[in-house]
Amino acid sequence: MPGVLYFDLSSGVSGDMFTGALLDLGADFEKIRADVAKLQLGVILTAEKVVRAGVPATKFSVLNSRGRPAEEDYPSEPHRRLRDIREIIEQAGLEKAVMDGALGIFGLLAGAEAAAHKSTVDEVHFHEVGAVDAMADIVAAASAFGQFGAPAYASEINTGSGTVLCAHGRLPVPVPAVKELLKGLPYYCDGGTELTTPTGAAILKYFCTSFGAKPAMTIRSEGCGAGSKELPFPNVLRVVWGN
């Protein structure tokens, strides 16, 4: 498909919001589901229409076999190193573009975690980002993005503000890995809660070639991906596709 994609990050970005936005724009859900199934993670993918502060959007979710959010399996899921994740992805039989995208995103995450915690890429243990839901999120995002075959641009990134409880304790927003991933990129902190996750930041950094004001463009269509939180403002990631 010709054209360009432009992501509005005024409410930040997470892996599920990214895929939800592209589904809302017209990505084939069955193609995404088939690609994630190749990982043999035992997850269930859903996509439903929701409304966030008056804005219609698509909520993409990764569920466990009990129909609950897969993240609930943490911390029972093993902590994985990058080489473990690479092996799972490389042996899944994914098409090259999807595999390369997923590996590239995880490589960015590993580098950011290593820099944030004064470690090396080989020593990094993935906690939340190494769990089953993150692998499914990242492969889904790569599968959805690849369906458009278009260059991607993005606005300044709203990371959110406040604090968040994660595997390393309660940390200020943006968390260290997000700060590492966004070095050299324009971002600001607003909203009173975490809006940009490490997974979301890595996906953006991998796929988007520039960040700033929306270029003059003729818009063909628009999609919105819903975040999990109900907030006083529309917690959605908007993407427009046009020329």
Side-chain angles (χ1 to χ4, degrees):
M1 298 180 184
V4 299
L5 297 171
Y6 181 82
F7 292 90
D8 175 359
L9 308 173
S10 56
S11 293
V13 59
S14 58
D16 59 328
M17 291 172 76
F18 185 90
T19 300
L22 293 177
L23 282 167
D24 208 50
L25 192 63
D28 183 354
F29 184 41
E30 292 309 314
K31 169 68 164 61
I32 296 169
R33 184 178 289 175
D35 282 340
V36 173
K38 293 176 182 178
L39 299 173
Q40 300 183 33
L41 300 175
V43 297
I44 301 167
L45 305 185
T46 63
E48 60 179 331
K49 298 296 184 180
V50 299
V51 176
R52 293 286 186 264
V55 176
T58 294
K59 178 68 182 76
F60 171 75
S61 300
V62 179
L63 308 178
N64 59 27
S65 59
R66 302 183 302 279
R68 299 291 301 165
E71 62 195 30
E72 291 183 0
D73 290 334
Y74 174 81
S76 63
E77 283 297 320
H79 294 177
R80 294 180 172 91
R81 296 179 189 268
L82 181 60
R83 62 174 177 266
D84 303 319
I85 292 166
R86 288 186 64 91
E87 183 177 356
I88 292 170
I89 295 172
E90 288 173 345
Q91 294 181 358
L94 297 163
E95 60 190 76
K96 188 176 188 306
V98 176
M99 180 183 72
D100 288 349
L103 292 175
I105 292 163
F106 265 113
L108 289 174
L109 278 171
E113 290 284 353
H117 301 292
K118 304 297 187 291
S119 181
T120 68
V121 169
D122 290 336
E123 292 171 335
V124 167
H125 284 268
F126 286 87
H127 300 283
E128 292 94 343
V129 295
V132 162
D133 62 310
M135 280 192 283
D137 266 339
I138 287 170
V139 169
S143 177
F145 184 83
Q147 294 181 37
F148 290 89
Y153 308 92
S155 69
E156 294 181 336
I157 305 153
N158 187 0
T159 65
S161 59
T163 63
V164 63
L165 184 63
C166 63
H168 302 288
R170 185 164 290 279
L171 299 174
V173 174
V175 297
V178 169
K179 289 180 70 175
E180 285 292 331
L181 285 162
L182 299 187
K183 278 185 176 177
L185 303 181
Y187 72 87
Y188 61 100
C189 307
D190 190 23
T193 187
E194 182 183 43
L195 296 177
T196 294
T197 66
T199 299
I203 290 170
L204 278 180
K205 188 167 186 175
Y206 185 83
F207 286 126
C208 294
T209 57
S210 68
F211 294 78
K214 184 170 69 175
M217 60 191 299
T218 301
I219 297 174
R220 293 182 177 184
S221 56
E222 176 180 295
C224 290
S228 298
K229 300 172 183 174
E230 292 281 1
L231 299 173
F233 51 88
N235 185 20
V236 300
L237 170 64
R238 290 184 178 89
V239 58
V240 294
W241 175 43
N243 295 100

